[in-house]
Amino acid sequence: MIVAVASGKGGTGKTTVAVSLALSLAPDAGRCRTPGFSRETPAEPASANPVHPSVNPAHPLFLDCDVEEPNAALFLNPTIMMKDNRSSSQAPPGRATGIERWGWYSIAVNVVLAAINLGIALASGSLAVEAEMVHNLVDLLSAIGVLIGLRLSTRKSKEFPYGLYKLENLVAVVLAVMTFITAYEIARDALLETARRATVNAWMLGGVVVATIIPLAFSHFELRAGREANSPALIANAREYRVHVFTTGVVFAALVGQWLNFPLDRIAALVIVVAIGKTGWELLADGMRVLLDASLDAGTLLEMREVILAEPVVSALKWVTGRSAGRFRFVEAEVTLRVHDLEKAEAATQRIEVEIRRRVPHVERVLLHAEPMERTHLRYAAPLADAGGVLSDHFGEAPYFVLVRVRLADGAVEERQILANPYREEERAKGIQVAEWLVEQKVDVVLLKESLKGKGPLYVFGDAGIELHQTTAGTLEQAIAAQLPGESLGWHSAVTTA
């Protein structure tokens, strides 16, 4: 039953009435489940129960649709199942601004570093310092490109309905190309330019130390921000600053060598070239993987596979794949469902989508191809009064449950397993907990002598697509034989008791 408390001016008591109803229906002092809205249709409820397969009177759902003050949770002490999940492309303004802010920070840092190295290069005439200054100027242009990529990557248009997510990866590739150009220019000057003596004094060495500390500190915080936002452009920029720490250290060594009349200028410049080239190759490889739609890593795919198979309605997972585009991930899978009802199948796919988004960050879209299961076997469950196969008159109180796998073609029993009821000693809601446990066992049909009409387990089984068949048979063999008229049951398989 769905009760809606609607209309009325602010302060008339809508929340009070709704909360009181929920608490009166929840026997365990108001532990209500509070769902939110689905991601695809933010104006409509996700489903009767978007996360958990059971909807029952013992744990009522409370949907707070107040646009201005959804504060019923303050009074309910709820288990919040889902909040309003807006599209990840519509990032919260504070978060989007925070990511772009790092682009501005990067520009400022590069201006400072370029100014420091320019002053030292003009005063010293060192080729290594000049190489580092050119390195800074290239990074300044790249930082501007990163900022442009961050601002444009989430925008959608009629020409680009899926967004410009890969623009960030394209920026990373451009950054790699500019890095290669920088390396070439420095190498050419180091190998072909006429040798010259550099002038070195203490303030220059101090300036190089400052130019080392700045990128070291900045790269630490930018890399952390880039990983949290899953932004390839920010991560690439932070790694480039790590290279600056190394190359500036090489410059410092070259200046000290010149101060001690030990020429290291050309060697230092060539070392910088090698470091820059290595970074450029890593950026190019990572960016091209995404631009060419490389698969998500094996760990992420395994986690999504576990999420899908944990859904009780899923009977089989045919395949799951995914790809990255910028800092966002796109997931696609094909599953076979145990239910044939379209509404229940829709609810199951929504539950899977919600759980994938909860477990795997930065998922922009989940596309599930679902088809009904073609049955060749049925998995029966029945409550037993004893391990010998006598059916129990009760459901939640039964000491044992039997699970039987029957081949439909000839009615042969391929597997039979007797399990102790793990919730028999529970004081409250034991029937619901047993039903949820049987759902986890991937049962197709439950044979009962007791009617569950109007009881919680009925809702659990209904949402999971499990059939309930009442029987007057005294034993398991008689009950299943009645389900398969005309068939001869072969009870030849081994029995496992747990």
Side-chain angles (χ1 to χ4, degrees), residues 103 141-151 171 175 222 233-234 237:
L141 297 176
S142 300
I144 296 173
V146 167
L147 181 61
I148 294 174
L150 291 173
R151 293 185 66 89
V171 168
L175 175 59
E222 187 183 30
L234 285 184
N237 205 42

Side-chain angles (χ1 to χ4, degrees), residues 380-382 389 391 445 447-449 469-485 489 491:
Y380 288 90
L391 293 184
V445 180
L447 303 175
L448 296 166
K449 300 180 75 173
H469 293 176
Q470 267 192 277
T471 179
T472 58
T475 64
L476 175 66
E477 289 85 349
Q478 295 170 353
I480 295 184
Q483 300 295 312
L484 302 169
L489 290 175
W491 296 90

Side-chain angles (χ1 to χ4, degrees), residues 40-261:
E40 297 295 335
T41 55
E44 296 292 334
S47 72
N49 184 355
V51 175
H52 199 278
S54 63
V55 178
N56 55 72
H59 299 282
L61 278 112
F62 189 103
L63 182 62
D64 193 345
C65 299
D66 194 320
V67 176
E68 296 178 350
E69 295 291 341
N71 54 10
L74 297 176
F75 309 100
L76 287 172
N77 186 30
T79 299
I80 298 179
M81 297 162 56
M82 181 172 60
K83 296 182 180 180
D84 182 4
N85 292 322
R86 289 172 292 177
S87 170
S88 53
S89 64
Q90 299 172 343
R95 182 179 178 86
T97 304
I99 296 175
E100 293 175 11
R101 188 166 61 240
W102 283 101
W104 288 109
Y105 291 163
S106 180
I107 291 175
V109 168
N110 274 295
V111 169
V112 172
L113 293 177
I116 293 174
N117 285 311
L118 176 61
I120 297 174
L122 292 176
S124 67
S126 168
L127 177 61
V129 179
E130 288 182 9
E132 186 63 11
M133 181 199 66
V134 173
H135 193 187
N136 290 136
L137 292 176
V138 172
D139 283 349
L140 176 61
L141 297 176
S142 300
I144 296 173
V146 167
L147 181 61
I148 294 174
L150 291 173
R151 293 185 66 89
L152 297 180
S153 62
T154 58
R155 296 189 179 183
K156 297 180 181 181
S157 64
K158 188 176 293 185
E159 291 78 13
F160 300 95
Y162 294 101
L164 300 171
Y165 303 117
K166 292 187 178 182
L167 189 59
E168 285 190 61
N169 299 101
L170 185 60
V171 168
V173 171
V174 172
L175 175 59
V177 173
M178 297 183 74
T179 303
F180 288 138
I181 295 173
T182 303
Y184 167 75
E185 293 294 335
I186 297 172
R188 187 184 64 177
D189 291 344
L191 295 174
L192 303 179
E193 192 174 280
T194 304
R196 60 193 181 193
R197 181 176 179 79
T199 301
V200 183
N201 54 42
W203 75 264
M204 296 178 187
L205 295 176
V208 173
V209 171
V210 172
T212 304
I213 295 174
I214 291 175
L216 177 62
F218 183 75
S219 66
H220 172 75
F221 295 105
E222 187 183 30
L223 185 62
R224 186 170 65 183
R227 286 173 175 168
E228 289 177 355
N230 198 33
S231 171
L234 285 184
I235 293 173
N237 205 42
R239 288 175 177 171
E240 177 62 16
Y241 277 115
R242 294 287 174 90
V243 176
H244 270 295
V245 175
F246 173 74
T247 55
T248 308
V250 172
V251 169
F252 182 84
L255 291 179
V256 172
Q258 289 293 121
W259 200 6
L260 300 175
N261 294 319

Side-chain angles (χ1 to χ4, degrees), residues 1 5 30 42 47 69 80 99 122 155 190 205 213 217 262 271 278 310 319-320 332 335 346 369 410 423 425 434 455:
M1 178 175 66
V5 180
S47 72
E69 295 291 341
I80 298 179
I99 296 175
L122 292 176
R155 296 189 179 183
L205 295 176
I213 295 174
F262 190 71
V271 170
K278 179 178 181 297
W319 51 265
V320 59
E332 190 172 358
V335 297
E346 175 87 12
H369 305 272
D410 55 7
Y423 300 103
E425 303 302 324
V434 169
K455 299 181 180 180

